[in-house]
Amino acid sequence: MKRSALLKSLSREHHGALVYAKRLLDLSQKDPRLMQSYWRDICEVVQAELKTHFAEEEKLVEGISEPLLARFRDEHRLLRALFKSEDADQLKRFANLLREHIRFEERELFPCLEARYYDVLQQNQVR
């Protein structure tokens, strides 16, 4: 999907997050304990990456009143809460939500922002 320069780096970061989510979900199918072990190995890195990523996205949309942003903010809040868990069911929920959230951003939110709010995105650009 062609992306404006303002959102390209955020889109690229989505790929890495999708890899983590897929691995968590694959491991949850085999043995939830494997998923939990994998999460313990990567959680600090993933949490740091997502905290930075979410902060950059949230800064970028400051001042925009778009209905899609309610879902965006709600999911960021929930993902932040879920990535602190070590419970297998909660980790699986985290991985599923992360995957769906990224799809939502790439397929709905980012195209909307590029089409309607490009000037605001330029002003709020963090990178």
Side-chain angles (χ1 to χ4, degrees), residues 91-118:
L91 287 175
K92 188 173 177 181
R93 186 173 173 214
F94 165 76
N96 277 312
L97 180 59
L98 182 61
R99 183 183 59 197
E100 293 308 311
H101 177 73
I102 291 168
R103 287 180 178 161
F104 159 70
E105 285 186 352
E106 291 292 335
R107 295 176 183 170
E108 295 179 53
L109 182 63
F110 284 8
C112 171
L113 294 173
E114 289 172 320
R116 296 182 185 164
Y117 305 102
Y118 188 81

Side-chain angles (χ1 to χ4, degrees), residues 51-64:
K51 284 178 184 178
T52 301
H53 181 84
F54 289 173
E56 289 174 358
E57 286 181 333
E58 290 161 2
K59 169 85 173 98
L60 198 60
V61 299
E62 280 179 6
I64 296 175

